Amino acid sequence: MSELPELQQDAITTVREFFAALEMGAVEEALGLLDPGIVWKNTSLPDVRGIGRVGGLLRGLDRPSFGFRADMNHIAAESTGSPIEEGSTVLTERVDYLRAGPVEIAFWVCGTFEIVDGRITLWHDHFSWENFLRGTAAGLWRAIRR
């Protein structure tokens, strides 16, 4: 297996491009920003390990009846390496929107991304299940009222 080339961009740009690709439904482009050994963690859910499994989940959402977007409220990076590309942590505070048919769910998310050699090695999202359930109820209410 050949080694992936290092991406030559700062860590915040990598995370912003990752979200932009997901929003456009460009799953393969988003996966190109992930390390093959990616770990995706979500609050109280099992970890998803490896680009094959993460890719399978993201491709499963890439259907006309589903949608994703995010409003990035804050984004900041901290570097532990020299130069910055050797190891950076990016923190995001955002509102994610998941759409299933006519129902769109909005909920607050705080994400931690670890970047090594320009690729995301860890994607760890923290969110409140209460906030998610409130977003679900509001989304259902809006869909019913239409």
Side-chain angles (χ1 to χ4, degrees), residues 15 28 46 88 135:
V15 172
E28 296 307 317
S88 300

Side-chain angles (χ1 to χ4, degrees), residues 25-106:
V27 175
E28 296 307 317
E29 183 178 325
L31 294 176
L33 297 169
L34 301 180
D35 185 81
I38 179 75
V39 177
W40 182 14
K41 297 174 173 258
N42 279 285
T43 301
S44 73
L45 296 174
D47 295 353
V48 181
R49 297 179 179 275
I51 200 160
R53 289 191 171 130
V54 171
L57 288 173
L58 294 178
R59 284 184 197 100
L61 295 174
D62 189 24
R63 292 182 272 175
S65 59
F66 291 110
F68 169 80
R69 65 185 176 92
D71 289 340
M72 197 71 65
N73 297 324
H74 297 95
I75 187 165
E78 175 180 87
S79 174
T80 57
S82 180
I84 193 167
E85 290 81 12
E86 287 182 13
S88 300
T89 301
V90 176
L91 302 177
T92 63
E93 189 259 323
R94 61 189 200 266
V95 177
D96 283 3
Y97 300 86
L98 298 176
R99 183 182 54 77
V103 178
E104 185 176 68
I105 302 167

